[in-house]
Amino acid sequence: MRCLKILSGCCAILVAMPGGASAADAADVAAPLRTLRAVGNDGSNSEAAAAAWDALSQQPASQLPVMLRALDDAGPIAANWIRGAIDAVAAREIEQPGGLPIAELEAIVVDRTHQPRARRIAFEWLTRADTTAADRLVPNMLDDPGLEFRRDAVARILSSAEKIPADNPRDQRLALYRQALNGARDEDQIKTIAERLAGLGQTVDLAQHFGFLRDWQVIGPFDNADRQGFAAVFPPEEKIDLKATYAGKDPNRMVQWTELRSREEYGKVDLNPLYDNAKQAVAYAWTEFRSSSAQDLELRLSCKNAWKVWLNGELLFEREEYHRGTQFDQYQLKAHMRPGSNEILVKVCQNEETQPWTVEWQFQLRVCDALGTAVYSQPVTGDRNE
Amino acid sequence: MRYHHFSVKNWAVAGWQLGWVLALLLATTGADWQRFRGPNGSGIGSGAMDAPGKWTVADNLAWKVRLPGRGVSSPLIVKDYVVLTASSGYRQDQLHVLCFDRRTGKLAWERQFWATGRTMTYPTITTATPTGVSDGENLYLWFSSNDVFCLDLQGNVQWLRGLMLEYPNASNSLGLATSAVVANGTLVLQVENDSQSIALGLDAKRGSTLWKIDRPQKANWTTPLMLSDANDRDAVVMLQSSSEIAALEVATGKSLWRIERECSTIPSSVLADGLLLVPSNGLVAMRTQGTTRQPEVVWENNKLKPSTASPVVWQDRVYVISSGVLKCASCQTGEVIWQVRLKGDFSASPVIGGSYLYAFNDEGVGQVVQLGTDKGELITEENLEEIILATPALVDGEIYVRSDNSLWKISASPNAP
């Protein structure tokens, strides 16, 4: 098999013409790319894929643009196969007299119709071959659909702002920080910008900026003894009736929905003050998001308790993990919003552990697009169920 | 004709002699360190030469290379190469496989991939925390994002998997740190976590799933241990988990035996001369009875509780680092014979070469303890001044150390060609 793979690769080299991609080259690339795109998540067809990878990895530099463009419609597994081959070709060819096809690589980088990951790989090899490329390209990437490009562009603006002498008019720095804030999507950069703006007298409402949902109806505690509450179906999972009361964890005590407005910087919904730091307990939080149109968005959740999230009655995801840590945008859930009202229900479970790091019973949830740009609920204008 | 009379016995003798010749050739051409903690996770250095007991960066650094990303995975030494994983990017979602020339430290090749699963980890570790494994021909690199890559020694991709695409809850918000083992054509992955807790056997040649079993639903960072030779047709692997130790047939995942007991979920077990040492209620020693029967408890000692680093056995003594104290105990009785205080906290496991135990603390101070009969003596302290959480590799008198930013080769003869 290995001999066949090597033979296949040698044939690919023999038919490759210097100076540009020939029709034979294109055929050589098309077939292995098709094979790699067909690889399943389960590892099936890997022998054929390895042979295709060999053939691709021995292509001339002139085929790099074709291989990069193939990333546009590749799934995550195929993309990794193709990327490996691109890197193998580029690493070899950058050392050769002809080098890399710089103009073609740059054309891919600046063409935003291509997938950001394809453009980024092109950028990384381009900047190795042409050390002036980053200075030429990055300043124009503040609104790029690629997060890494945006990050680079924001970093340059921040660097410029830091270099402005303190005795210069503050408006110069303010303008740069505002510009950076518009472009930034990574939390660390946004926090830095917010701190700098605060130092210049401008406050950024981070919860608003990120699109955290702050107004909730919550109900609990229900029982989570022996962690059975995660799988148990309590009444809010069957029907949302904000006026209803139910028997809770303590069967002698009825529980009811309560309004909770988070005033935390990151929209944290803290259940402990409301439910007296209960252990072995379940609570639900419900809210409404009014979408301007039918659109594919994301619900981004941070939670160190076991949780489930439903959108319009459909379970988006669930995770039974307690107190293993949390971070900004810990979970990214694809969410198809319908026009008008969309109901979001979050189930948050607290377990029995008593160590200091197991106290938290909370979550944060924001609505944004795939890039992380906040998307806001529309003001109420009519009936709730329009 | 004469060859007609060359009996089976003659062939057997010839084969045995040929085997020895090959073994000698291998011994003289350099040893490998093909997985986390080297030969079957023992932590015992291999090869003909001893590493230096007293060493300094000034005198013994053969080379040092800057890494393009972070990581806690250990280096693998396979033939003439040092192989390492790393991760980079704001989201630690750029996965690197790096292959260096063992002699010069020059980068032979690098492959990069995108993480297809979650990359969140505890801040001190990264997506590149599990150590890869090799069968001498191929490399199997596993990341905390549950991405697995099989490459040959030239960097050619053989297969790859993104396991979270199939098992979306098979992750740990603190990060996965278990390392894989490969035996008899099967790659064993112990993916134990609080949510979708599983173990998988993948076809090492093709990457397809041979078997999948459910595992205790609790986070676990220990690495499987081979109870048999890895090349045995009936190879058996042991999984140490929060609530049990279990022996599985590598080829099928079939359970051979299971002992319910609470075990540590960070330091891993070690097997030496038929004695299984499991971090559980301190340390428990069990005498194996073949691979298919449950081992029997010989002794337990709750004073021998390893903290994060795994125990190591050498010459009938077991060594554990417990709260910064290196303890030496008898393998026969579990009785502590001597102890010596080391400096700092240890995430990296110690390794032993010659009569020296090498331990690197989290702050990057390499410490060498001369292992004596009645006492241990700290003879070397050398500060590499970088965070070190990865267990070093130790072969042929060479120590390969991975810090958060760099890969170091320390050698008794750093200028050797």
Side-chain angles (χ1 to χ4, degrees), chain B residues 94-125:
Chain B
Q94 301 297 309
L95 311 180
H96 305 249
V97 182
L98 303 147
C99 181
F100 301 94
D101 180 290
R102 181 175 166 184
R103 190 173 59 83
T104 63
K106 187 181 173 199
L107 184 69
W109 51 262
E110 177 183 5
R111 298 285 176 262
Q112 284 191 51
F113 303 98
W114 289 288
T116 64
R118 296 178 62 211
T119 58
M120 177 183 173
T121 65
Y122 190 68
T124 54
I125 68 170

Short mmCIF file of all heavy atoms in Angstrom, two decimals, chain B residues 94-125:
data_model
loop_
_atom_site.label_atom_id
_atom_site.label_comp_id
_atom_site.label_asym_id
_atom_site.label_seq_id
_atom_site.Cartn_x
_atom_site.Cartn_y
_atom_site.Cartn_z
N GLN B 94 -5.06 25.77 18.05
CA GLN B 94 -4.11 25.40 17.00
C GLN B 94 -3.24 24.28 17.57
O GLN B 94 -2.53 24.47 18.56
CB GLN B 94 -3.24 26.60 16.62
CG GLN B 94 -4.04 27.79 16.11
CD GLN B 94 -4.79 27.48 14.84
OE1 GLN B 94 -4.23 26.99 13.88
NE2 GLN B 94 -6.10 27.75 14.85
N LEU B 95 -3.32 23.14 16.96
CA LEU B 95 -2.63 21.96 17.48
C LEU B 95 -1.38 21.71 16.66
O LEU B 95 -1.44 21.63 15.43
CB LEU B 95 -3.56 20.75 17.42
CG LEU B 95 -4.97 20.96 18.00
CD1 LEU B 95 -5.80 19.68 17.89
CD2 LEU B 95 -4.91 21.44 19.44
N HIS B 96 -0.27 21.57 17.33
CA HIS B 96 1.02 21.38 16.66
C HIS B 96 1.57 19.99 16.97
O HIS B 96 1.53 19.55 18.12
CB HIS B 96 2.07 22.39 17.15
CG HIS B 96 1.65 23.82 17.02
ND1 HIS B 96 2.24 24.69 16.12
CD2 HIS B 96 0.71 24.55 17.67
CE1 HIS B 96 1.69 25.88 16.24
NE2 HIS B 96 0.75 25.83 17.18
N VAL B 97 2.11 19.36 15.96
CA VAL B 97 2.94 18.16 16.15
C VAL B 97 4.32 18.52 15.62
O VAL B 97 4.47 18.91 14.46
CB VAL B 97 2.38 16.94 15.40
CG1 VAL B 97 3.25 15.72 15.68
CG2 VAL B 97 0.93 16.68 15.80
N LEU B 98 5.31 18.41 16.49
CA LEU B 98 6.65 18.88 16.16
C LEU B 98 7.62 17.70 16.21
O LEU B 98 7.56 16.90 17.15
CB LEU B 98 7.10 19.94 17.17
CG LEU B 98 6.17 21.15 17.27
CD1 LEU B 98 6.15 21.69 18.68
CD2 LEU B 98 6.61 22.23 16.29
N CYS B 99 8.48 17.63 15.24
CA CYS B 99 9.46 16.55 15.21
C CYS B 99 10.85 17.17 15.04
O CYS B 99 11.11 17.89 14.07
CB CYS B 99 9.15 15.60 14.05
SG CYS B 99 10.31 14.23 13.95
N PHE B 100 11.71 16.90 15.99
CA PHE B 100 13.06 17.47 15.99
C PHE B 100 14.10 16.38 15.77
O PHE B 100 13.89 15.22 16.19
CB PHE B 100 13.35 18.16 17.33
CG PHE B 100 12.40 19.26 17.66
CD1 PHE B 100 11.28 19.02 18.45
CD2 PHE B 100 12.61 20.54 17.17
CE1 PHE B 100 10.39 20.04 18.77
CE2 PHE B 100 11.72 21.57 17.49
CZ PHE B 100 10.61 21.32 18.28
N ASP B 101 15.19 16.76 15.18
CA ASP B 101 16.34 15.88 15.08
C ASP B 101 16.91 15.71 16.49
O ASP B 101 17.23 16.69 17.16
CB ASP B 101 17.39 16.50 14.15
CG ASP B 101 18.60 15.60 14.01
OD1 ASP B 101 19.36 15.47 14.99
OD2 ASP B 101 18.80 15.04 12.92
N ARG B 102 17.00 14.47 16.90
CA ARG B 102 17.42 14.20 18.29
C ARG B 102 18.83 14.71 18.56
O ARG B 102 19.15 15.16 19.66
CB ARG B 102 17.33 12.69 18.52
CG ARG B 102 17.71 12.24 19.89
CD ARG B 102 17.45 10.74 20.01
NE ARG B 102 18.11 10.20 21.18
CZ ARG B 102 18.14 8.92 21.50
NH1 ARG B 102 17.53 8.04 20.73
NH2 ARG B 102 18.76 8.51 22.58
N ARG B 103 19.68 14.65 17.56
CA ARG B 103 21.07 15.01 17.78
C ARG B 103 21.27 16.53 17.83
O ARG B 103 21.99 17.05 18.68
CB ARG B 103 21.93 14.42 16.66
CG ARG B 103 23.43 14.52 16.88
CD ARG B 103 24.18 13.77 15.81
NE ARG B 103 23.90 14.27 14.48
CZ ARG B 103 24.49 15.33 13.93
NH1 ARG B 103 25.41 15.99 14.60
NH2 ARG B 103 24.17 15.74 12.72
N THR B 104 20.58 17.25 16.92
CA THR B 104 20.85 18.68 16.78
C THR B 104 19.76 19.58 17.33
O THR B 104 19.98 20.77 17.56
CB THR B 104 21.01 19.04 15.29
OG1 THR B 104 19.75 18.76 14.63
CG2 THR B 104 22.12 18.21 14.65
N GLY B 105 18.56 19.04 17.50
CA GLY B 105 17.45 19.87 17.92
C GLY B 105 16.81 20.63 16.77
O GLY B 105 15.85 21.38 16.96
N LYS B 106 17.29 20.41 15.57
CA LYS B 106 16.73 21.10 14.40
C LYS B 106 15.34 20.54 14.09
O LYS B 106 15.14 19.32 14.15
CB LYS B 106 17.66 20.92 13.20
CG LYS B 106 17.25 21.74 12.01
CD LYS B 106 18.18 21.53 10.84
CE LYS B 106 17.62 22.25 9.63
NZ LYS B 106 18.17 21.76 8.38
N LEU B 107 14.43 21.42 13.74
CA LEU B 107 13.07 20.98 13.41
C LEU B 107 13.10 20.16 12.13
O LEU B 107 13.53 20.64 11.07
CB LEU B 107 12.15 22.19 13.23
CG LEU B 107 10.67 21.87 12.97
CD1 LEU B 107 10.01 21.27 14.21
CD2 LEU B 107 9.91 23.13 12.56
N ALA B 108 12.68 18.92 12.21
CA ALA B 108 12.62 18.06 11.01
C ALA B 108 11.34 18.33 10.24
O ALA B 108 11.35 18.44 9.02
CB ALA B 108 12.70 16.59 11.42
N TRP B 109 10.23 18.38 10.94
CA TRP B 109 8.96 18.75 10.32
C TRP B 109 7.97 19.17 11.40
O TRP B 109 8.15 18.86 12.58
CB TRP B 109 8.38 17.61 9.47
CG TRP B 109 8.28 16.26 10.12
CD1 TRP B 109 9.15 15.22 10.00
CD2 TRP B 109 7.24 15.79 11.01
NE1 TRP B 109 8.73 14.15 10.75
CE2 TRP B 109 7.55 14.46 11.36
CE3 TRP B 109 6.08 16.36 11.53
CZ2 TRP B 109 6.77 13.71 12.23
CZ3 TRP B 109 5.28 15.61 12.38
CH2 TRP B 109 5.63 14.31 12.72
N GLU B 110 6.94 19.87 10.93
CA GLU B 110 5.86 20.28 11.82
C GLU B 110 4.54 20.13 11.08
O GLU B 110 4.47 20.42 9.88
CB GLU B 110 6.02 21.75 12.25
CG GLU B 110 4.87 22.23 13.13
CD GLU B 110 4.97 23.71 13.52
OE1 GLU B 110 5.90 24.39 13.02
OE2 GLU B 110 4.12 24.16 14.30
N ARG B 111 3.53 19.66 11.76
CA ARG B 111 2.18 19.64 11.21
C ARG B 111 1.27 20.41 12.17
O ARG B 111 1.42 20.28 13.38
CB ARG B 111 1.66 18.21 11.05
CG ARG B 111 2.47 17.36 10.09
CD ARG B 111 2.20 17.72 8.62
NE ARG B 111 3.07 16.96 7.76
CZ ARG B 111 4.23 17.41 7.24
NH1 ARG B 111 4.61 18.65 7.49
NH2 ARG B 111 4.97 16.65 6.48
N GLN B 112 0.36 21.17 11.58
CA GLN B 112 -0.61 21.88 12.40
C GLN B 112 -2.02 21.45 12.01
O GLN B 112 -2.29 21.18 10.83
CB GLN B 112 -0.49 23.39 12.22
CG GLN B 112 0.70 24.01 12.94
CD GLN B 112 0.61 25.53 12.94
OE1 GLN B 112 -0.41 26.10 13.30
NE2 GLN B 112 1.68 26.16 12.52
N PHE B 113 -2.87 21.43 13.01
CA PHE B 113 -4.27 21.06 12.78
C PHE B 113 -5.15 21.99 13.61
O PHE B 113 -4.68 22.65 14.53
CB PHE B 113 -4.52 19.61 13.20
CG PHE B 113 -3.63 18.61 12.51
CD1 PHE B 113 -2.48 18.12 13.14
CD2 PHE B 113 -3.92 18.16 11.23
CE1 PHE B 113 -1.66 17.20 12.51
CE2 PHE B 113 -3.09 17.24 10.58
CZ PHE B 113 -1.96 16.76 11.22
N TRP B 114 -6.43 21.98 13.28
CA TRP B 114 -7.40 22.73 14.08
C TRP B 114 -8.05 21.78 15.08
O TRP B 114 -8.41 20.64 14.73
CB TRP B 114 -8.50 23.31 13.20
CG TRP B 114 -8.07 24.43 12.33
CD1 TRP B 114 -7.76 25.71 12.72
CD2 TRP B 114 -7.89 24.40 10.90
NE1 TRP B 114 -7.41 26.46 11.61
CE2 TRP B 114 -7.49 25.69 10.50
CE3 TRP B 114 -8.05 23.42 9.93
CZ2 TRP B 114 -7.23 26.03 9.17
CZ3 TRP B 114 -7.79 23.74 8.61
CH2 TRP B 114 -7.39 25.03 8.24
N ALA B 115 -8.26 22.26 16.29
CA ALA B 115 -9.02 21.47 17.25
C ALA B 115 -10.47 21.40 16.79
O ALA B 115 -11.05 22.41 16.38
CB ALA B 115 -8.94 22.11 18.63
N THR B 116 -11.05 20.22 16.86
CA THR B 116 -12.46 20.09 16.49
C THR B 116 -13.34 19.96 17.73
O THR B 116 -14.56 19.96 17.61
CB THR B 116 -12.69 18.85 15.60
OG1 THR B 116 -12.37 17.68 16.35
CG2 THR B 116 -11.83 18.90 14.35
N GLY B 117 -12.73 19.82 18.90
CA GLY B 117 -13.50 19.72 20.15
C GLY B 117 -13.17 20.86 21.08
O GLY B 117 -12.45 21.80 20.72
N ARG B 118 -13.69 20.78 22.30
CA ARG B 118 -13.50 21.87 23.27
C ARG B 118 -12.03 21.99 23.67
O ARG B 118 -11.33 20.98 23.84
CB ARG B 118 -14.35 21.60 24.52
CG ARG B 118 -15.84 21.61 24.25
CD ARG B 118 -16.62 21.31 25.52
NE ARG B 118 -16.38 22.33 26.52
CZ ARG B 118 -16.39 22.11 27.83
NH1 ARG B 118 -16.59 20.90 28.30
NH2 ARG B 118 -16.17 23.09 28.68
N THR B 119 -11.59 23.22 23.85
CA THR B 119 -10.19 23.45 24.20
C THR B 119 -10.05 24.09 25.59
O THR B 119 -8.94 24.42 25.99
CB THR B 119 -9.51 24.36 23.16
OG1 THR B 119 -10.23 25.60 23.10
CG2 THR B 119 -9.48 23.71 21.79
N MET B 120 -11.16 24.23 26.29
CA MET B 120 -11.06 24.81 27.63
C MET B 120 -10.28 23.87 28.55
O MET B 120 -10.53 22.66 28.56
CB MET B 120 -12.45 25.03 28.21
CG MET B 120 -12.42 25.56 29.62
SD MET B 120 -14.08 25.74 30.33
CE MET B 120 -13.63 26.16 32.03
N THR B 121 -9.35 24.41 29.30
CA THR B 121 -8.61 23.63 30.29
C THR B 121 -8.35 24.50 31.51
O THR B 121 -8.53 25.73 31.47
CB THR B 121 -7.23 23.16 29.77
OG1 THR B 121 -6.41 24.31 29.54
CG2 THR B 121 -7.34 22.35 28.48
N TYR B 122 -7.90 23.88 32.56
CA TYR B 122 -7.38 24.61 33.71
C TYR B 122 -6.24 25.51 33.21
O TYR B 122 -5.49 25.10 32.31
CB TYR B 122 -6.87 23.61 34.75
CG TYR B 122 -6.53 24.20 36.08
CD1 TYR B 122 -7.53 24.70 36.90
CD2 TYR B 122 -5.22 24.26 36.54
CE1 TYR B 122 -7.23 25.24 38.13
CE2 TYR B 122 -4.91 24.80 37.77
CZ TYR B 122 -5.93 25.30 38.57
OH TYR B 122 -5.62 25.84 39.79
N PRO B 123 -6.11 26.73 33.74
CA PRO B 123 -5.17 27.67 33.12
C PRO B 123 -3.73 27.17 33.01
O PRO B 123 -3.02 27.54 32.07
CB PRO B 123 -5.25 28.89 34.04
CG PRO B 123 -6.58 28.80 34.69
CD PRO B 123 -6.88 27.34 34.84
N THR B 124 -3.28 26.34 33.94
CA THR B 124 -1.87 25.95 33.88
C THR B 124 -1.61 24.86 32.85
O THR B 124 -0.46 24.58 32.53
CB THR B 124 -1.36 25.44 35.25
OG1 THR B 124 -2.23 24.40 35.70
CG2 THR B 124 -1.32 26.56 36.27
N ILE B 125 -2.66 24.19 32.39
CA ILE B 125 -2.44 23.19 31.36
C ILE B 125 -3.05 23.69 30.05
O ILE B 125 -3.63 24.76 30.00
CB ILE B 125 -2.95 21.79 31.76
CG1 ILE B 125 -4.47 21.76 31.83
CG2 ILE B 125 -2.33 21.35 33.05
CD1 ILE B 125 -5.02 20.36 31.99
#
